[in-house]
């Protein structure tokens, strides 16, 4: 078993990066690997509840975040400073996540076999 | 060392697909082994046999196709990314009743599981384009 870490750094709509990252996370989980899913920078917007993307004819891919637990993806993190910079808190988020600091992020990356940033 | 490479950047609007090709050539020259190259998101456009490069520019699709054939590399185009962008092999073209297939020689179309498999079987996985 390997540790695969994903850094999701883009907003949920506007580019396909968020969906691409989520798909990789789910595929890794299906292969029963240790997965760290980390939301940082603009990526923290994916976690915010209440998106209504039908208004821009986009699919609500972030609804699939609710399924992470079912897939066994338990290590879901948000970079605390990315939330703070955007005046967001845990109360705004649609799923429970662990907050991490820059130092904790470094150690998560250091202890991973593969790191993918999207 | 066993290396796998993921390419995500568009071959026509980003440098990453060329950088990835140069990296793979350097890795092989240095005696490393390439387990798989996985093309994801806009990088699947590299699998099109129908692109036309201006005369004074490099045809990166042709360069990649030649490279993977020459070294018999496992070059996998992500199926979900490919279908959306109109990159089809014969079986996908017939499955979706499209007028033509356009997958270049040397590439296979398969799923994200191939990327996870590459992660499990490689010493290093290097991404280009994100």
């Amino acid at each position: 078993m390997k540790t695969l870490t994903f850094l999701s750094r883009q907003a949920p709509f506007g580019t396909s990066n968020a969906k691409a990252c989520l798909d990789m996370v789910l595929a890794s989980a299906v292969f029963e690997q240790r997965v760290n899913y980390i939301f940082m920078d603009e990526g923290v917007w994916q976690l915010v509840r209440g998106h209504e993307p039908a208004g821009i004819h986009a699919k609500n891919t972030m609804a699939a975040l609710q399924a992470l637990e079912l897939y066994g993806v338990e290590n879901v993190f948000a970079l605390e400073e990315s939330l703070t910079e955007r005046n967001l808190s845990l109360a705004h988020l649609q799923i429970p996540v662990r907050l991490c600091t820059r130092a904790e992020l470094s150690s998560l990356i250091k202890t991973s076999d593969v790191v993918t940033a999207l | 060392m066993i290396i796998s490479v993921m390419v995500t950047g568009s071959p026509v609007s980003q440098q990453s697909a060329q950088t990835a090709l140069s990296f793979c050539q350097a890795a092989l020259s240095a005696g490393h082994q390439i387990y798989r190259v996985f093309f994801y998101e806009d990088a699947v456009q590299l699998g099109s046999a129908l692109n036309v490069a201006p005369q004074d520019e490099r045809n990166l699709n042709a360069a990649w196709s030649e490279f993977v054939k020459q070294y018999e590399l496992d070059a996998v185009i992500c199926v979900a990314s490919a279908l959306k962008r109109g990159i089809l092999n014969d079986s996908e073209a017939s499955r979706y009743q499209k007028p033509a297939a356009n997958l270049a020689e040397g590439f296979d179309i398969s799923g994200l599981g191939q990327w996870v498999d590459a992660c499990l079987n490689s010493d290093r996985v290097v991404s280009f384009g994100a």
Side-chain angles (χ1 to χ4, degrees), chain B:
Chain B
M1 192 175 276
I2 301 172
I3 298 172
S4 282
V5 167
M6 175 170 75
V7 192
T8 57
S10 161
V12 285
S13 54
Q14 290 182 254
Q15 181 67 21
S16 51
Q18 174 57 60
T19 310
L21 178 56
S22 302
F23 174 87
C24 289
Q25 287 164 333
L28 290 178
S29 302
H32 299 293
Q33 184 188 335
I34 293 178
Y35 179 80
R36 180 169 293 139
V37 185
F38 189 81
F39 300 92
Y40 192 43
E41 291 283 282
D42 282 348
V44 300
Q45 292 163 4
L46 276 166
S48 171
L50 296 181
N51 76 308
V52 178
Q55 279 186 358
D56 57 349
E57 288 179 25
R58 183 172 204 204
N59 186 334
L60 193 52
N61 289 34
W64 261 108
S65 176
E66 286 305 315
F67 175 68
V68 298
K69 278 192 294 181
Q70 182 184 350
Y71 292 97
E72 297 179 335
L73 297 181
D74 189 7
V76 174
I77 303 260
C78 172
V79 62
S81 302
L83 292 179
K84 277 194 221 178
R85 291 168 178 81
I87 309 294
L88 306 173
N89 59 11
D90 289 330
S91 66
E92 298 297 340
S94 97
R95 187 202 314 264
Y96 294 100
Q97 297 175 318
K98 296 296 181 184
N102 61 345
L103 186 68
E105 284 178 14
F107 297 98
D108 286 319
I109 289 185
S110 191
L112 266 175
Q114 295 293 309
W115 177 78
V116 183
D117 173 77
C119 291
L120 303 188
N121 289 292
S122 306
D123 300 312
R124 293 282 187 280
V125 179
V126 188
S127 302
F128 294 86

Side-chain angles (χ1 to χ4, degrees), chain A residues 17-29:
Chain A
N17 290 47
K19 169 78 160 55
C21 192
L22 176 62
D23 287 345
M24 294 195 118
V25 165
L26 297 179
S28 304

Side-chain angles (χ1 to χ4, degrees), chain A residues 5 7 20 22 28 31-32 40 51 54 64 75 77 88 92 105:
Chain A
T5 293
L7 309 178
L22 176 62
S28 304
F31 277 70
E32 299 185 334
M40 58 185 289
H51 289 302
N75 297 328
F77 300 88
L88 293 170
H92 296 101
L105 175 65

Side-chain angles (χ1 to χ4, degrees), chain A:
Chain A
M1 189 188 277
K2 288 200 176 186
T3 301
L4 310 183
T5 293
F6 298 88
L7 309 178
S8 195
R9 308 181 66 170
Q10 301 291 330
F13 310 107
T15 71
S16 57
N17 290 47
K19 169 78 160 55
C21 192
L22 176 62
D23 287 345
M24 294 195 118
V25 165
L26 297 179
S28 304
V30 168
F31 277 70
E32 299 185 334
Q33 302 303 302
R34 269 188 302 270
V35 173
N36 293 316
Y37 195 4
I38 302 167
F39 295 87
M40 58 185 289
D41 304 334
E42 291 291 77
V44 296
W45 290 113
Q46 298 171 44
L47 295 165
V48 171
R49 70 170 89 234
H51 289 302
E52 293 180 18
I56 54 166
H57 303 282
K59 187 175 153 188
N60 193 0
T61 49
M62 294 309 121
L65 291 177
Q66 308 282 350
L68 287 174
E69 208 179 336
L70 274 174
Y71 278 83
V73 180
E74 288 161 359
N75 297 328
V76 183
F77 300 88
L79 186 65
E80 190 166 14
E81 70 175 55
S82 299
L83 288 174
T84 307
E85 282 167 0
R86 291 161 182 81
N87 208 19
L88 293 170
S89 69
L90 288 176
H92 296 101
L93 309 186
Q94 55 162 321
I95 53 168
V97 298
R98 287 193 250 168
L99 296 179
C100 73
T101 62
R102 283 269 165 195
E104 287 160 344
L105 175 65
S106 299
S107 95
L108 283 168
I109 290 173
K110 212 170 177 178
T111 55
S112 301
D113 295 298
V114 179
V115 179
T116 305
L118 274 168

